[in-house]
Amino acid sequence: MKSKKIISLLLVSAMLAATVLSGCSGGGSGAGTDAGTEAGTAKGSEAKQNGASSGDSTEVTFWTLNTRQNAVDPIVEEFNAAHDDMKVTVAYYDTDGIKDACKVAASSKTLPNMWFNWGGSLGGFYAENGLTYDMTEYAGEHKWNETFSEGALTLCELGGQLSGYPTSYNVLDVYYRKDIFEKYNIAVPSTFEEFEQACAVLKENGITPISTAGLNGWHVMRFVELLIEHYAGAEEHDKMNTFESSYDNDAAVQALTKYKEFCDKGYFPEGFVTADPNDTQMAVFSGTAAMDIQGQWYDGKIVQEEQDINLYGTFPFPSGGTNRLSAFVEMTQFNADNTDAQLNACVEFMDYYYSKENTDKYAEYYNLPLPKADAEMPEGQPNVPIMLETAEKNGTFTITDQAFPTEIADALFDVQDGIANGQTSPEDGAKKIQEAIDAYNNK
């Protein structure tokens, strides 16, 4: 297909560039984790992209996020010690790193046996290009419909196949510091006007209202998409994200204009456009910022950083209507070229990694509850059940960088930066997003 050929050419170019930048075999990239890992860290003496059989042992490789390394390291060690016939080798990447690494590996046919990924367009690329193992038959034989939640399995159906092993279902809410709100007599906002008033009071008292960071675009996007939801309404927003309606419309212009207003008023941290999104928590934890748009994993992060969980609450952004939350799925995808032995080793490791024993032991390193039929709410993470209940009640929409193909998401990110830097007007920004959509549709 024409689009796949174009993508292939682009990926070869990306591979060459990444080789120069990383100087690391197997390349790697992640999204939204520790930016200190530029190209990934392999666990063990070597990190081959493709697993191999050594004697009677089946060796498989796994790429995942470095924010989970404190749990994955001992889990891999324990799994390998318990299996003479299997060996897992793991490499770690930050959030945007794993995206880049997998794209590079896809172009050179050096993908690992299994890798962490997201749903939507991010995971769909690998399914649509025949790079992921179609788990439909396997799932049927092993009754995954009795193991995993129906919603999670549905979100893993990409490119006409079941393209991964569901590992988390995530919803995003506005986390806020209860003590800061109480100090300045700020009530949890139930309307957009009240949200703006809360931001004004916080700014007047030297507190940054919203912690965000623009590097790689996706964290700022979390706020921009909520503004679009507010001005467009749920029905029109869904049509815009499926390209049934144009982005060059009044709602998008109003949303981008309001985003510019928040930038101009200093409602985001100084220098946020080039800041690392992995560091947004620091401002909230230190009390210099009051709010951060995050998923339920944030409770685990609060626990990891030994913060007082009782100081943190959540509320749905008051966009109007039912105040929908954005949502997305995470999964492990398996290489389409895996042998039966490699696939079985991969799935057995995933079952062990996501076993109750390990999720209880390392709870703060998982996005809980797991997307399983018998999932339990995590102890000591009080905001998680509240967020999931809110999502069930209010409804959800697919987070924009999974709803959009990569090139359109990148156009949105460029517009966000341009508006914040005063180089793009909201009107031109809306036009540029639609131009990217038109170019994609005309490929």
Side-chain angles (χ1 to χ4, degrees):
M1 294 175 65
K2 182 179 178 183
S3 61
K4 292 182 182 177
K5 291 179 180 178
I6 293 172
I7 290 172
S8 178
L9 291 171
L10 291 173
L11 291 179
V12 170
S13 299
M15 178 182 68
L16 294 173
T19 301
V20 172
L21 290 171
S22 68
C24 173
S25 78
S29 70
T33 62
D34 183 3
T37 302
E38 292 183 3
T41 303
K43 179 69 177 175
S45 60
E46 59 182 1
K48 303 173 186 176
Q49 286 93 341
N50 297 313
S53 294
S54 177
D56 294 328
S57 177
T58 299
E59 299 183 9
V60 293
T61 49
F62 177 40
W63 290 0
T64 191
L65 298 177
N66 56 11
T67 50
R68 302 172 184 185
Q69 186 168 356
N70 288 344
V72 176
D73 273 355
I75 288 172
V76 169
E77 184 176 349
E78 292 160 7
F79 180 85
N80 288 341
H83 294 80
D84 292 334
D85 58 339
M86 300 178 190
K87 180 181 178 181
V88 175
T89 301
V90 61
Y92 300 99
Y93 303 94
D94 70 15
T95 303
D96 291 293
I98 203 166
K99 294 176 183 175
D100 296 337
C102 287
K103 284 291 184 74
V104 170
S107 68
S108 58
K109 298 187 182 302
T110 55
L111 282 164
N113 298 98
M114 51 182 163
W115 62 94
F116 168 90
N117 210 340
W118 295 265
S121 62
L122 298 174
F125 167 85
Y126 300 91
E128 292 163 5
N129 285 279
L131 300 170
T132 55
Y133 203 104
D134 184 355
M135 300 299 291
T136 304
E137 184 176 345
Y138 186 100
E141 292 174 354
H142 292 82
K143 299 181 179 180
W144 278 16
N145 64 315
E146 298 179 7
T147 302
F148 298 102
S149 68
E150 181 180 355
L153 285 172
T154 298
L155 289 172
C156 289
E157 292 176 358
L158 304 168
Q161 65 179 56
L162 180 58
S163 67
Y165 181 112
T167 58
S168 72
Y169 173 70
N170 306 279
V171 297
L172 281 74
D173 223 344
V174 181
Y175 270 81
Y176 74 103
R177 283 282 298 266
K178 293 180 179 178
D179 55 329
I180 295 176
F181 271 47
E182 290 172 3
K183 181 177 180 179
Y184 299 110
N185 297 313
I186 300 171
V188 172
S190 59
T191 67
F192 185 70
E193 291 72 24
E194 290 176 358
F195 181 82
E196 290 188 284
Q197 291 167 8
C199 289
V201 171
L202 290 165
K203 182 64 179 177
E204 288 169 5
N205 286 279
I207 304 294
T208 300
I210 305 164
S211 186
T212 191
L215 186 65
N216 301 311
W218 48 266
H219 198 283
V220 171
M221 173 207 73
R222 295 175 180 176
F223 182 66
V224 171
E225 69 181 1
L226 291 172
L227 292 176
I228 294 172
E229 176 86 355
H230 170 63
Y231 287 104
E235 183 177 354
E236 184 65 13
H237 189 192
D238 286 345
K239 289 181 179 180
M240 291 165 66
N241 279 1
T242 55
F243 311 150
E244 296 176 54
S245 293
S246 173
Y247 253 80
D248 186 10
N249 64 16
D250 289 342
V253 172
Q254 287 177 298
L256 295 175
T257 299
K258 183 59 68 173
Y259 165 63
K260 180 180 185 305
E261 180 184 321
F262 273 47
C263 292
D264 294 343
K265 287 182 174 180
Y267 286 175
F268 308 126
E270 184 176 354
F272 77 92
V273 172
T274 57
D276 188 336
N278 303 298
D279 296 335
T280 62
Q281 67 194 34
M282 295 168 61
V284 181
F285 291 173
S286 67
T288 59
M291 294 179 282
D292 193 358
I293 299 170
Q294 294 282 359
Q296 75 266 21
W297 61 84
Y298 207 60
D299 266 24
K301 179 62 69 174
I302 292 167
V303 173
Q304 288 177 40
E305 298 299 326
E306 299 181 344
Q307 297 289 306
D308 183 356
I309 191 70
N310 295 309
L311 296 180
Y312 296 84
T314 67
F315 63 87
F317 184 82
S319 56
T322 62
N323 296 335
R324 296 193 303 175
L325 280 59
S326 66
F328 65 93
V329 69
E330 294 174 340
M331 70 183 85
T332 297
Q333 293 189 301
F334 304 116
N335 197 314
D337 293 331
N338 280 339
T339 64
D340 288 346
Q342 289 170 335
L343 179 64
N344 288 333
C346 288
V347 176
E348 186 162 345
F349 173 69
M350 281 294 108
D351 288 343
Y352 181 73
Y353 179 5
Y354 288 94
S355 66
K356 187 177 188 305
E357 174 188 358
N358 283 318
T359 53
D360 286 347
K361 187 185 298 185
Y362 305 106
E364 65 268 32
Y365 295 99
Y366 292 82
N367 293 356
L368 299 176
L370 295 179
K372 293 187 175 181
D374 59 351
E376 298 178 358
M377 291 295 170
E379 293 184 6
Q381 299 184 32
N383 293 302
V384 174
I386 295 172
M387 292 175 66
L388 292 173
E389 182 180 345
T390 300
E392 183 71 21
K393 176 183 176 182
N394 295 16
T396 62
F397 63 90
T398 302
I399 197 167
T400 304
D401 60 350
Q402 288 194 21
F404 280 1
T406 301
E407 54 264 55
I408 300 175
D410 287 343
L412 170 62
F413 299 161
D414 288 343
V415 166
Q416 291 171 174
D417 290 352
I419 290 174
N421 289 326
Q423 298 170 336
T424 303
S425 70
E427 293 79 7
D428 286 343
K431 286 183 171 62
K432 288 180 178 181
I433 296 169
Q434 186 57 41
E435 286 170 359
I437 293 171
D438 291 341
Y440 175 81
N441 286 335
N442 291 329
K443 286 196 302 186

